[in-house]
Amino acid sequence: MIRRFFAAWWRYWFREAPLLDLAIFRILIIGLQLYLLVFSSRYNMVALTEVSEVPPFLYEPLFFFDLITRLLGGHHFTINEIGLIWGATACAGVAALLGLGTRLSVPLFAIGVSTLQLWTMSHGDVHHPEAAMMIALGLLSFSPSGAVLSLDAMMRREPGRATLQDQLSATSREAKWLLLLIQWFFGLMYLSACYAKLRYGEGHWANGITLQYAMAQDGLRWNPLLGLWLSHFYWVALAGQWFILFFQGTFFLSVVFPKLKWFYIPVGMVMHVFIYLMFKAPFFQWSALYFAFVPWSAIFVRLKALRRPEGFALADQSGGVA
Amino acid sequence: VVDGQTVKYSLLSALIGGVLLAQGVSGFRGTQYLTPFLSYPMYSKAHFEGERLDVNHRVYAVLKSGERRYIDPDEDLNVDFWRYERRFVTPLIKGRSDEVAPFVDAVVARYPDVTALEVDNYPMIITRAGPKPAPSQTIVRREVAAADRSPR
């Protein structure tokens, strides 16, 4: 029984899969995070300097950041050191994006981003958009994400031997688990968000007014494009709330039944765009992580831009990289 | 004999299991302890018609003269909106004086003759037809005693 469970577990997580999907995912999430790190007013050096200037009593190291500081002998980071980490992280990010020394540059980028985020969050304020990205980058470090679409792969390719098509069609048993894990992670996040609404809303959450309230509140706070305007429409809010409960509570089914991804993924992506337009909640990292669901290889094979990977049925992919 | 691949997949399996477990526990137990494994309780409280909009609060230092001076997050406390609301205003409203004490110190440094802190709510309520104006109210008044300040 246990043996069968583990056999099924391995078949599920470590099945043969195209490396191209993983490489595209690497480029998209590292590209976005690098852009945010350098250009976003929420993550750049100006933002980090502002964090360093908040009153010292707000500094309460979170568990994982505490672990980092303890490993460094109880070290307390100065803003100059944070600046150095920021610069090194940006350099590692460029290398990871290009796929140069990927086995090293991706972990360095993940460690740098996570250290900066945990340091920021340890100064009295935790936010949600960054959390899933930290975990995804950390996991990416354990995957062969630079095996194709990378400078590493280009340098490995010997003239006259493996063609670019060969490389793009390459598969690996380690190419899938990360994408699947991100998908399950989304399922868990949405399910716990749905649970919170049922628990803390005490059965009254989906009453229409709750969403009107949230849209008016954030509309007045942050002046997003649609929030304040939409907060005047009760029936729209009521329908929206029931839809959110349904979507969050059942999203995990799309991981179990891959064909459902054709509904859940586009809808989820549009939903996060609307969340930004209604609340100005910047969940850009989540939008990028959604690309873990996109079966790039299958799309390219269908478009005849890519040869079908050997021993790999198109049907396996077209359900959404299940 | 255990080959390298078996060891590798076993370690990856432990990683997969650990990540799912950490997210499951954090997500459903509502804790930030294992950040970046978090719960997602944003916007999960129900709201009702006529309820005051919690856009922001204004905290005032009440001076001996009875005059009220607005405590600005940036200028007086050097914190942003979220830290002002979550770390100062919320504990002040809930009477968690130990959490407020360092902020009280900063207010006293700015206004040495402060006698009390007062919190005003936002001048709008929610209705089915959208947000409507409503007079702002002082919802909390806390006397500033020596005991409220940080131990030195």
Side-chain angles (χ1 to χ4, degrees):
Chain A
M1 180 72 179
I2 293 174
R3 185 175 290 234
R4 279 169 63 185
F5 169 79
F6 279 109
W9 171 277
W10 280 36
R11 270 200 310 277
Y12 180 76
W13 294 103
F14 306 113
R15 70 187 81 168
E16 201 71 30
L19 284 158
L20 182 63
D21 294 344
L22 185 62
I24 293 177
F25 184 66
R26 179 199 93 231
I27 291 167
L28 289 171
I29 68 168
I30 288 182
L32 176 78
Q33 188 58 46
L34 185 61
Y35 172 82
L36 292 175
L37 185 75
V38 177
F39 296 110
S40 167
S41 59
R42 196 178 161 112
Y43 306 101
N44 62 16
M45 260 320 289
V46 177
L48 294 171
T49 305
E50 284 173 3
V51 169
S52 75
E53 290 167 355
V54 302
F57 62 81
L58 287 174
Y59 177 71
E60 289 168 6
L62 293 163
F63 174 76
F64 284 114
F65 190 69
D66 195 34
L67 208 61
I68 293 170
T69 59
R70 279 173 195 274
L71 286 172
L72 296 171
H75 185 71
H76 192 89
F77 287 96
T78 64
I79 185 60
N80 288 336
E81 290 166 342
I82 289 295
L84 278 175
I85 294 172
W86 182 88
T89 303
C91 292
V94 172
L97 180 65
L98 298 173
L100 181 64
T102 323
R103 284 290 189 183
L104 184 65
S105 58
V106 171
L108 284 178
F109 185 63
I111 290 168
V113 166
S114 300
T115 303
L116 294 172
Q117 290 301 331
L118 290 171
W119 176 81
T120 301
M121 289 178 177
S122 294
H123 283 80
D125 201 21
V126 172
H127 288 280
H128 288 77
E130 299 84 6
M133 180 59 94
M134 276 192 264
I135 293 163
L137 288 173
L139 294 170
L140 196 66
S141 307
F142 297 98
S143 74
S145 66
V148 297
L149 287 189
S150 64
L151 289 177
D152 290 342
M154 193 185 286
M155 289 187 285
R156 268 200 312 272
R157 189 151 56 96
E158 294 169 29
R161 298 191 70 177
T163 65
L164 180 64
Q165 271 281 343
D166 288 335
Q167 282 211 351
L168 295 182
S169 306
T171 61
S172 164
R173 288 183 67 189
E174 290 171 43
K176 193 68 169 184
W177 67 267
L178 167 69
L179 300 173
L180 286 171
L181 184 52
I182 299 289
Q183 293 173 23
W184 276 108
F185 201 83
F186 264 95
L188 274 175
M189 287 193 295
Y190 282 134
L191 198 59
S192 69
C194 179
Y195 167 76
K197 289 174 180 64
L198 297 176
R199 182 180 172 193
Y200 302 117
E202 297 175 343
H204 300 290
W205 187 81
N207 63 7
I209 295 287
T210 298
L211 185 54
Q212 283 185 286
Y213 181 99
M215 290 190 292
Q217 174 186 269
D218 282 2
L220 290 161
R221 264 183 194 164
W222 315 118
N223 195 28
L225 190 64
L226 298 179
L228 195 54
W229 175 68
L230 273 174
S231 73
H232 292 84
F233 301 100
Y234 170 75
W235 292 105
V236 172
L238 183 66
Q241 285 196 265
W242 280 101
F243 176 76
I244 290 166
L245 277 187
F246 166 77
F247 180 85
Q248 293 188 331
T250 59
F251 185 89
F252 72 94
L253 291 173
S254 70
V255 189
V256 182
F257 304 107
K259 284 200 170 142
L260 292 177
K261 283 174 187 152
W262 291 110
F263 166 74
Y264 280 94
I265 304 316
V267 168
M269 284 180 167
V270 170
M271 188 178 80
H272 281 286
V273 172
F274 260 85
I275 285 174
Y276 185 73
L277 296 177
M278 291 190 296
F279 305 112
K280 238 180 188 173
F283 278 77
F284 305 122
Q285 292 93 331
W286 285 38
S287 301
L289 294 175
Y290 253 89
F291 285 107
F293 292 90
V294 178
W296 298 104
S297 299
I299 292 170
F300 293 147
V301 168
R302 279 196 193 279
L303 294 174
K304 301 192 188 307
L306 183 70
R307 194 175 61 224
R308 183 180 306 185
E310 272 182 40
F312 197 72
L314 196 61
D316 288 344
Q317 298 188 59
S318 59
V321 202
Chain B
V1 179
V2 179
D3 61 24
Q5 193 180 54
T6 304
V7 173
K8 191 174 192 180
Y9 290 176
S10 299
L11 290 173
L12 285 174
S13 294
L15 179 68
I16 292 165
V19 166
L20 292 176
L21 184 68
Q23 182 55 36
V25 170
S26 299
F28 290 97
R29 291 201 64 186
T31 172
Q32 294 185 350
Y33 182 71
L34 290 177
T35 301
F37 298 97
L38 287 172
S39 61
Y40 291 84
M42 301 89 83
Y43 307 105
S44 59
K45 197 175 155 225
H47 296 284
F48 303 94
E49 199 159 12
E51 197 173 320
R52 181 73 51 166
L53 280 171
D54 189 15
V55 175
N56 60 34
H57 296 86
R58 289 177 74 84
V59 182
Y60 293 90
V62 183
L63 308 185
K64 268 186 190 159
S65 62
E67 188 186 351
R68 296 204 321 163
R69 295 280 179 84
Y70 172 58
I71 300 171
D72 186 87
D74 184 33
E75 288 177 16
D76 295 325
L77 301 176
N78 198 25
V79 292
D80 61 6
F81 169 82
W82 288 116
R83 289 181 178 87
Y84 187 77
E85 288 288 330
R86 291 176 176 171
R87 304 302 301 268
F88 179 40
V89 178
T90 302
L92 189 62
I93 291 171
K94 294 186 174 172
R96 301 201 294 255
S97 52
D98 54 330
E99 290 178 44
V100 177
F103 288 102
V104 173
D105 289 343
V107 174
V108 170
R110 178 88 171 83
Y111 303 107
D113 56 344
V114 61
T115 59
L117 297 176
E118 290 183 347
V119 183
D120 285 9
N121 60 14
Y122 193 77
M124 288 194 116
I125 58 168
I126 191 68
T127 71
R128 275 195 180 208
K132 299 283 180 207
S136 183
Q137 305 156 322
T138 298
I139 52 171
V140 163
R141 178 185 167 88
R142 304 263 178 237
E143 302 303 322
V144 176
D148 293 329
R149 298 176 195 174
S150 295
R152 291 181 193 280

